[in-house]
Amino acid sequence: MNVTETPDQARFRHELRTWLDAHVRPEWREPGFEEQASVALRFAVRRKWHRTLATGGWIGVEWPVEYGGRGLTPVHGLILSEELARARALPIADWVGVELVAPTLLRCGSHEQRERYLPGIMDGSQVWCQGFSEPAAGSDLAAVTTVATRTADGYRISGHKRWTSWAQFADFALVLARTGDPAERHRTLSCFIVPLGSPGVTIEPIPMLYGDAEECDLHLDDVEVPADALVGEENKGWRTVMTSLTLARGSATLIRIAALKRTFDGLTRDVFAPGVPAAGLPDDSVLRSLALLHARLEALGHLARRKMGEMEDDGLPGQIASTEKLLWARLSSDIARFGMETQDLDGIVEPDPTGVSTGWRREMYRAMANEIEGGTNAIQRTTIARHVLKLPC
Amino acid sequence: MHFTLGSDLVALREHALKTFRDAAPSAEHSLYDDLWAAAPVPDDDSLLRAALIAEAAGASCGPFHPGERIALAWIAARHPGLRPVLESAPHVLAAVCQGTDGALEIRRGAGTFAVDGTFRVLAPDTATAGHALVLAAHRRRRFLVSVPLAGRGVRVTSSRTVQPDRRLLTVTLDQVGVPEHQALSWDAERALVSLGQVLAAAELLGVMQWTLDACVDRARSREQFGRPIGAFQSVAHTCADMLCAVELSRSMVYAAAARHDGSGAPEAHTAAVTRILLRHESLPVLTEAVQLFGADGLRWSGDLHRQLRRCQVLRSLWGTPASTTDDVIEYLRGQVAAAAAE
Ligand SMILES: Cc1cc2nc3c(=O)[nH]c(=O)nc-3n(C[C@H](O)[C@H](O)[C@H](O)COP(=O)(O)OP(=O)(O)OC[C@H]3O[C@@H](n4cnc5c(N)ncnc54)[C@H](O)[C@@H]3O)c2cc1C
């Protein structure tokens, strides 16, 4: 264990920091900058930022040089996320493509698929989404009913995907579909790359509790895809999905811990701002709770670092990573609820006529989503109990 | 940067675990005594090694709070002048109970000091007649003073505690004379308390790991309704939550111990944060474990209640919770002010 940076790591950090200082826009640092914007505007701004980052060579730093990356280590990825947070940079538009799809293709895709799709993911010209969940298949993904049937030169896919984040802006979806007997569950699932401009694709955003919608319904009606749209082998799609879900527990989490840190900074700003709350200094119980939230957040950051250490040792996120999602989701909820508690009647004001929530209420709603997306809290706990603690549940 | 333990440190923890399980006192001594044998240098892993030993004590149901002994050895290493005093009689550390609060009053006489005031200290049964190292102040100057726990001018009331081998002594000194060589000018009270906080937290981490392991074993082996109780989701989820608490705590403890100030002591804010976190995360693991064990969890003969007691005591050491919170709040306030100034 060594928390001192190597000269190479320190150089990387310095180079990045200098670059970010020159490129991050000051208005992004304003509290609430993103939440003022519609989902479309938010996406457009994030996409521009994605392209700028790509021009600087800061997207896909861990990808192999062969595919346009810099072949760097998970610790470089960690430094990248720390510096992006420090500079208060915006998230990128195609987080799904960069953090999930590209690394999945690097592990499960063909050389041709990597050559074809990775450049577009890197430079932000093509955006991706993941169509796994369905109305009747959420926690139980092996119950997927979307069907892919073979045709003369490929597959025909029909089904209904739900909660597909950012689909309305995406160019491609990684789709999980049935290619055999449903009774065989995860043994007859396959993964496909579906261009969303194809005939038969309809996308409808789903208005959400927080007012606007990143999540979508994705309808696939007899959508034709070529044979080389299949990722990995037929009926081995479960492995691809599990790879993507495992990667979602790897470097991909760093950015959301950084975002949570930013949210917490907003909370301390609110608590210690002069005149808030009106009566003067917060009372002891408030301060105790705040100190504890800070402690949990610090510890979570260190847990993520330990996870990165494990990944350097073993290539994939291990035991520590399995606890991280649950800890993060709960902490994000607790921080947001604490933020709500600092407000009185102001907390029920909903200024936007379209119902777009702002401030702590939005944070709370988003945090509730954190406890569902990527596997609910209950599913996370079962996974830990079964696969880490080897309990017979 | 690398954030997992190297094989040498894993081996050290294993060695300490085995030593504590075998309960061989001389081998235990060598664990502590070697720690500060060489003066710490920045970037070495002396503090992390100390934390791993403390963790092993908790994880083996072993000796209570080796952190106090490690802290005493740390003081002796910084102040070789105090070594003969510490070696001449068993000592307990008042800072374990007082934190940095409650310095006694010290006045200089001819060739001696006179010490007045009241402090509390945890002492093993056998050491009630030993000495305590206390913090004392004369105007702004701070001293570390070795005072006797019996004799003229010393009044002691002793209470049993939930930790069977420790009593809580309330000691009142009335003009107790102390030879000059037993009082040292001392400016490292904060560093000492930070060290103690991290070592107590490390031991709590060990206690939590021990408890998790015991629960997982129990969930696999105890059968009800024709199945291991671990097959019931509420039991399995309880264990999963415990693992989360353990790993979160471990991450904080190791991070706090991985860096020190050049003397072997952790950074003060990180130590305070570590203490707050472990204080919060540890007790629920123990109380949930009692539920998971059913009535067996309440047995006097079992180890679980011993660990529960140890947890309660360790949570209370090295300063009041309020003073630790104040430290962290001060830090957060400073961050907000710094950001506003930017
Ligand atoms: C903001 C957001 C973004 C998302 N983005 C995507 C995306 O981009 N792509 C995608 O494919 N999906 C996405 N999802 C879907 C997400 O993966 C699912 O919502 C999630 O897996 C839960 O499925 P469900 O909503 O159908 O709930 P259900 O599975 O119906 O669960 C309902 C309740 O039952 C509990 N439950 C279910 N099974 C068990 C069990 N075995 N044991 C104990 N409790 C159980 C759950 O914990 C939950 O409390 C997103 C979801 C959200 C909220």
Side-chain angles (χ1 to χ4, degrees):
Chain A
M1 194 160 177
N2 183 353
V3 289
T4 311
E5 278 173 1
T6 63
D8 161 61
Q9 290 162 348
R11 216 174 312 117
F12 178 79
R13 190 187 288 278
H14 176 74
E15 187 197 341
L16 173 59
R17 193 174 285 189
T18 312
W19 187 90
L20 286 171
D21 283 346
H23 289 85
V24 169
R25 306 272 291 272
E27 65 266 27
W28 296 352
R29 301 197 173 140
E30 298 300 320
F33 170 78
E34 274 220 301
E35 68 187 26
Q36 314 288 343
S38 68
V39 64
L41 190 58
R42 200 154 63 231
F43 178 80
V45 175
R46 288 182 181 190
R47 185 166 206 175
K48 214 162 147 213
W49 174 232
H50 183 147
R51 289 184 165 154
T52 309
L53 272 173
T55 319
W58 303 113
I59 300 279
V61 295
E62 293 171 53
W63 302 359
V65 177
E66 187 188 354
Y67 297 111
R70 290 164 70 169
L72 298 177
T73 65
V75 171
H76 290 90
L78 175 77
I79 294 172
L80 180 66
S81 70
E82 285 176 353
E83 289 302 315
L84 287 168
R86 182 185 167 277
R88 305 229 204 128
L90 294 179
I92 54 169
D94 192 17
W95 179 84
V96 174
V98 172
E99 297 289 353
L100 305 180
V101 176
T104 301
L105 291 180
L106 283 166
R107 283 176 171 78
C108 307
S110 65
H111 175 66
E112 289 70 29
Q113 285 168 339
R114 293 175 207 156
E115 288 222 304
R116 182 159 160 205
Y117 297 113
L118 264 48
I121 294 178
M122 179 169 277
D123 69 16
S125 59
Q126 291 173 338
V127 170
W128 285 68
C129 59
Q130 293 197 134
F132 300 158
S133 308
E134 296 180 357
S139 300
D140 182 13
L141 264 190
V144 153
T145 58
T146 293
V147 177
T149 39
R150 268 179 190 267
T151 59
D153 44 9
Y155 294 86
R156 181 179 302 123
I157 305 179
S158 286
H160 177 182
K161 295 292 170 184
R162 177 160 280 175
W163 312 123
T164 317
S165 300
W166 300 102
Q168 73 267 48
F169 306 110
D171 302 285
F172 295 95
L174 196 61
V175 166
L176 184 65
R178 178 78 53 202
T179 39
D181 180 0
E184 292 285 313
R185 304 253 311 155
H186 61 274
R187 283 181 291 274
T188 51
L189 290 169
S190 304
C191 244
F192 296 93
I193 294 168
V194 177
L196 294 179
S198 310
V201 173
T202 353
I203 295 165
E204 290 169 75
I206 310 171
M208 300 293 270
L209 163 77
Y210 16 91
D212 59 6
E214 291 166 7
E215 287 68 56
C216 299
D217 272 318
L218 168 62
H219 298 275
L220 305 165
D221 295 311
D222 291 336
V223 177
E224 305 273 351
V225 294
D228 65 5
L230 178 69
V231 179
E233 291 171 48
E234 196 175 284
N235 292 331
K236 294 279 178 348
W238 192 248
R239 184 181 157 242
T240 309
V241 172
M242 287 303 126
T243 302
S244 172
L245 293 179
T246 304
L247 287 164
R249 298 194 274 118
S251 323
T253 67
L254 299 172
I255 213 78
R256 64 192 188 194
I257 293 178
L260 188 56
K261 169 108 187 47
R262 199 169 153 163
T263 306
F264 183 76
D265 289 346
L267 184 61
T268 51
R269 248 196 333 267
D270 281 4
V271 171
F272 295 127
V276 177
L281 281 180
D283 66 33
D284 278 356
S285 67
V286 171
L287 294 180
R288 258 201 312 277
S289 307
L290 193 67
L292 178 58
L293 291 174
H294 170 65
R296 287 167 64 195
L297 184 55
E298 289 272 299
L300 184 63
H302 293 306
L303 183 129
R305 290 171 151 231
R306 276 178 69 217
K307 176 190 74 178
M308 299 310 283
E310 269 190 358
M311 284 178 64
E312 279 207 316
D313 295 344
D314 306 325
L316 278 176
Q319 157 168 342
I320 301 168
S322 64
T323 62
E324 187 189 357
K325 160 81 186 359
L326 190 54
L327 287 162
W328 164 76
R330 284 178 172 160
L331 180 57
S332 69
S333 263
D334 289 346
I335 287 176
R337 276 199 288 261
F338 185 99
M340 288 283 291
E341 290 302 316
T342 61
Q343 300 184 318
D344 300 325
L345 272 178
D346 290 344
I348 60 167
V349 175
E350 189 93 274
D352 190 303
T354 60
V356 173
S357 300
T358 53
W360 287 114
R361 197 176 39 263
R362 182 185 177 82
E363 290 296 340
M364 191 181 78
Y365 295 159
R366 289 300 324 193
M368 288 157 70
N370 294 343
E371 296 191 275
I372 296 171
E373 68 178 318
T376 64
N377 286 1
I379 295 297
Q380 301 295 334
R381 294 161 95 198
T382 298
T383 306
I384 294 169
R386 193 178 292 161
H387 299 294
V388 181
L389 299 175
K390 311 279 185 230
L391 289 174
C393 59
Chain B
M1 291 194 287
H2 193 72
F3 304 106
T4 50
L5 296 182
S7 54
D8 57 329
L9 293 174
V10 173
L12 169 73
R13 191 176 53 189
E14 290 307 310
H15 169 63
L17 262 171
K18 184 170 176 333
T19 306
F20 291 135
R21 284 199 186 117
D22 295 350
S26 62
E28 283 178 22
H29 289 184
S30 75
L31 278 178
Y32 315 125
D33 296 344
D34 294 350
L35 263 177
W36 317 111
V41 289
D43 291 344
D44 74 13
D45 58 9
S46 51
L47 176 58
L48 190 53
R49 299 174 87 83
L52 292 171
I53 291 168
E55 180 191 345
S60 60
C61 236
F64 174 76
H65 203 24
E68 181 176 12
R69 296 203 35 186
I70 294 172
L72 276 164
W74 178 80
I75 292 170
R78 286 174 65 101
H79 285 289
L82 206 55
R83 210 172 277 162
V85 178
L86 292 177
E87 280 166 6
S88 67
H91 275 75
V92 285
L93 258 176
V96 171
C97 295
Q98 310 275 110
T100 53
D101 298 333
L104 305 183
E105 207 186 313
I106 186 166
R107 270 172 293 112
R108 193 187 281 275
T112 60
F113 286 101
V115 188
D116 280 300
T118 299
F119 64 95
R120 293 199 295 178
V121 71
L122 271 186
D125 262 345
T126 50
T128 40
H131 282 62
L133 265 191
V134 298
L135 188 66
H138 176 60
R139 299 216 175 89
R140 291 217 158 155
R141 274 188 73 192
R142 312 289 262 185
F143 294 85
L144 200 58
V145 189
S146 165
V147 297
L149 292 175
R152 237 183 62 198
V154 181
R155 213 160 9 97
V156 179
T157 55
S158 158
S159 318
R160 285 165 56 102
T161 71
V162 294
Q163 177 66 29
D165 60 355
R166 287 294 187 283
R167 297 184 79 86
L168 183 62
L169 312 184
T170 305
V171 185
T172 303
L173 306 180
D174 182 9
Q175 302 257 358
V176 172
V178 172
E180 237 173 46
H181 72 278
Q182 284 184 209
L184 273 177
S185 180
W186 174 256
D187 58 2
E189 62 203 64
R190 185 59 206 259
L192 171 65
V193 169
S194 297
L195 175 65
Q197 286 176 334
V198 167
L199 295 179
E203 189 177 342
L204 272 172
L205 166 65
V207 170
M208 292 165 75
Q209 180 71 58
W210 178 94
T211 309
L212 168 64
D213 293 344
C215 287
V216 169
D217 280 350
R218 174 83 172 182
R220 290 195 192 123
S221 58
R222 167 81 175 164
E223 292 198 1
Q224 288 292 283
F225 300 96
R227 290 189 269 173
I229 56 169
F232 300 111
Q233 201 171 59
S234 69
V235 171
H237 284 184
T238 299
C239 293
D241 288 342
M242 285 182 185
L243 180 75
C244 289
V246 169
E247 291 304 342
L248 190 69
S249 301
R250 188 187 304 287
S251 303
M252 194 66 230
V253 168
Y254 289 2
R259 222 191 263 278
H260 65 76
D261 63 0
S263 81
E267 196 265 317
H269 164 251
T270 312
V273 165
T274 307
R275 184 190 180 202
I276 287 176
L277 186 82
L278 271 286
R279 190 178 153 80
H280 179 259
E281 298 292 326
S282 57
L283 191 57
V285 169
L286 277 291
T287 52
E288 281 297 322
V290 172
Q291 173 76 15
L292 196 146
F293 270 76
D296 273 340
L298 302 167
R299 266 179 201 282
W300 187 258
S301 62
D303 278 337
L304 184 54
H305 82 90
R306 266 186 272 284
Q307 293 287 58
L308 172 63
R309 286 154 181 278
R310 183 198 282 254
C311 171
Q312 290 171 71
V313 179
L314 288 169
R315 287 174 77 247
S316 317
L317 303 184
W318 298 100
T320 61
S323 67
T324 315
T325 300
D326 287 349
D327 290 342
V328 172
I329 291 299
E330 234 12 80
Y331 169 86
L332 291 176
R333 220 192 279 275
Q335 297 281 96
V336 173
E342 228 181 70

